[in-house]
């Protein structure tokens, strides 16, 4: 066997070291690319979620306004529409059709929480009641109501619809905090 000189040994060691460095670089670049792809997908998902949440927020504002103006049923899912129409038929026979009107609508807070394939919304707002058909028993006497709504939005036929709506007067801030934390 031919005798190896120092230059050949150093050359082989240099090639081996460069090979190890190159292999390490390749693996770390591959890991970084994979991580970058995952981060890009996560950023895209978060952008989508944020835009959906913003759309739900805006839709909730419109729904609450429509609730006060009598057009909330346009936002209801098919199931909730059927249930509500049945209840309205029963209530219509009990009342003469005269109702107080609401004005001075102000939203204080809307909280949007994603729940699997739905969004759970908590809203706190106020309205002023007028008398029946807009007339007050005593002019200047407008009772203020502070209300909370718990709304469930679902996607139905490509559009966000209200599947549940619980409307309650606000008794205390503790009740709202408890309701939000218990989901």
């Amino acid at each position: 066997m031919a005798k190896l000189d120092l230059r050949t040994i150093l050359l082989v060691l240099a090639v081996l070291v460069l090979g190890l460095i190159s292999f390490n670089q390749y693996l770390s670049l591959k890991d970084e690319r994979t991580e970058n792809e995952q981060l890009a997908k996560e950023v895209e998902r978060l952008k989508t979620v944020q835009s959906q949440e913003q759309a739900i927020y805006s839709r909730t504002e419109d729904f609450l306004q429509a609730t006060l103006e009598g057009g909330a049923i346009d936002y209801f899912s098919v199931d909730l529409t059927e249930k509500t129409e049945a209840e309205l038929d029963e209530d219509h026979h009990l009342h003469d059709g005269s109702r107080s009107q609401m004005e001075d609508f102000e939203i204080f807070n809307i909280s949007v929480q994603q729940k699997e394939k739905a969004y759970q919304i908590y809203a706190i707002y106020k309205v002023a009641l007028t008398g029946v058909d807009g007339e007050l028993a005593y002019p200047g006497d407008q009772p203020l109501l502070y209300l909370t709504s718990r709304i469930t939005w679902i996607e139905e036929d490509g559009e966000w619809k209200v599947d549940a709506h619980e409307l309650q007067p606000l008794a205390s801030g503790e009740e709202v905090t408890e309701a939000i934390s218990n989901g």
Side-chain angles (χ1 to χ4, degrees):
M1 211 186 228
K3 197 173 174 187
L4 294 176
D5 66 345
L6 184 60
R7 279 193 228 164
T8 309
I9 293 173
L10 289 176
L11 182 61
V12 169
L13 284 175
V15 169
L16 186 61
V17 168
L18 285 174
L20 286 173
I21 291 173
S22 296
F23 184 69
N24 245 354
Q25 284 284 8
Y26 171 76
L27 287 180
S28 68
L29 286 176
K30 184 177 177 182
D31 290 344
E32 286 178 17
R33 275 190 222 118
T34 303
E35 187 176 336
N36 282 343
E37 288 172 7
Q38 290 171 348
L39 288 174
K41 288 177 185 176
E42 182 65 15
V43 165
E44 194 60 37
R45 186 189 70 78
L46 289 174
K47 283 182 182 177
T48 302
V49 166
Q50 183 181 13
S51 66
Q52 282 181 342
E53 286 180 357
Q54 184 61 38
I56 292 294
Y57 186 95
S58 297
R59 193 128 169 94
T60 299
E61 289 178 325
D62 295 343
F63 169 70
L64 293 174
Q65 186 70 38
T67 299
L68 302 177
E69 296 170 354
I73 203 161
D74 295 337
Y75 292 82
F76 288 178
S77 66
V78 172
D79 291 338
L80 188 58
T81 300
E82 291 172 0
K83 179 181 171 186
T84 303
E85 286 176 345
E87 289 176 11
L88 286 176
D89 285 342
E90 290 175 18
D91 288 346
H92 184 66
H93 297 297
L94 298 175
H95 303 288
D96 64 357
S98 298
R99 296 179 186 229
S100 292
Q101 297 190 13
M102 296 185 193
E103 47 188 52
D104 190 25
F105 173 63
E106 182 180 351
I107 297 174
F108 295 115
N109 186 34
I110 295 177
S111 170
V112 179
Q113 297 177 357
Q114 187 171 13
K115 304 278 186 182
E116 293 184 25
K117 294 182 179 181
Y119 282 95
Q120 187 72 49
I121 309 301
Y122 299 93
I124 301 172
Y125 51 101
K126 80 168 184 175
V127 293
L129 287 179
T130 66
V132 175
D133 296 326
E135 296 178 14
L136 297 172
Y138 301 100
D141 184 23
Q142 289 185 306
L144 285 177
L145 289 177
Y146 291 89
L147 304 169
T148 64
S149 283
R150 185 176 180 175
I151 306 163
T152 303
W153 289 92
I154 62 168
E155 193 167 7
E156 186 175 85
D157 298 328
E159 188 176 3
W160 289 101
K161 296 287 189 168
V162 174
D163 196 46
H165 180 211
E166 297 174 27
L167 174 66
Q168 298 178 347
L170 179 63
S172 72
E174 291 175 359
E175 288 181 12
V176 174
T177 305
E178 184 179 320
I180 290 172
S181 63
N182 290 336

